[in-house]
Structures are given as structure tokens and as C-alpha cells.
Amino acid sequence: MIDDDPHTVEENNRQVVVDPSDAVTGLSFVLGLIGAAVGVVAAVVLAPQFAASTIFYCLIGGLAGGSAGVVTGGMIGAIFSVARGTPR
């Protein structure tokens, strides 16, 4: 028996489309965390000596790396979202 119901045919051809705001937010969050971790590690490695000021260096490095990661992640998420497109 052949099923000619149009709803069944449409359901078989469904594609998963990521909402652009979800892509931007998700990639910003992930790359922000990675950037913050890289900033903290770089601050520890490049500190001239381990002292109380190293904590301040880690804070500045984490903020700088995190903000760079958020901006980069948002840009990449927006590019993927626009390139993929969303059906209306």
C-alpha cells in the first residue's frame, strides 16, 4: 500500500536548521571559554616571576582572551548562520 499523505512526505525530508542566534551565542560561549583559558595560561607562562601580581596578570589575560573569543565566536556563528540560511 502506498501512502500518498503529503504530511508524511514532508516529514521525511525535514532538515535541522539552527537558529542564527543560537549559533552565535553557542560559538561565542565556547570560544570565549577557550580564549579565557588561553589568556590565563599565557599570563602564567609570560609572567616574569610568580608573585601576587601574577593573579592580576591572569585576570587581565582571561578577560582579554575571553573577549577575543566571544567576538571571534560570534563572527563565525554569524557567518555559518548566514551561509546556511533559514527558511521562512
Side-chain angles (χ1 to χ4, degrees), residues 7-62:
H7 297 293
T8 306
V9 174
E10 287 178 10
E11 288 178 8
N12 290 336
N13 293 328
R14 293 179 75 182
Q15 290 183 339
V16 176
V17 177
V18 177
D19 185 30
S21 63
D22 291 340
V24 170
T25 303
L27 279 173
S28 295
F29 185 76
V30 170
L31 289 183
L33 288 176
I34 293 171
V38 169
V40 169
V41 170
V44 169
V45 169
L46 296 176
Q49 60 186 0
F50 192 77
S53 62
T54 306
I55 296 171
F56 181 69
Y57 296 151
C58 289
L59 177 66
I60 297 296

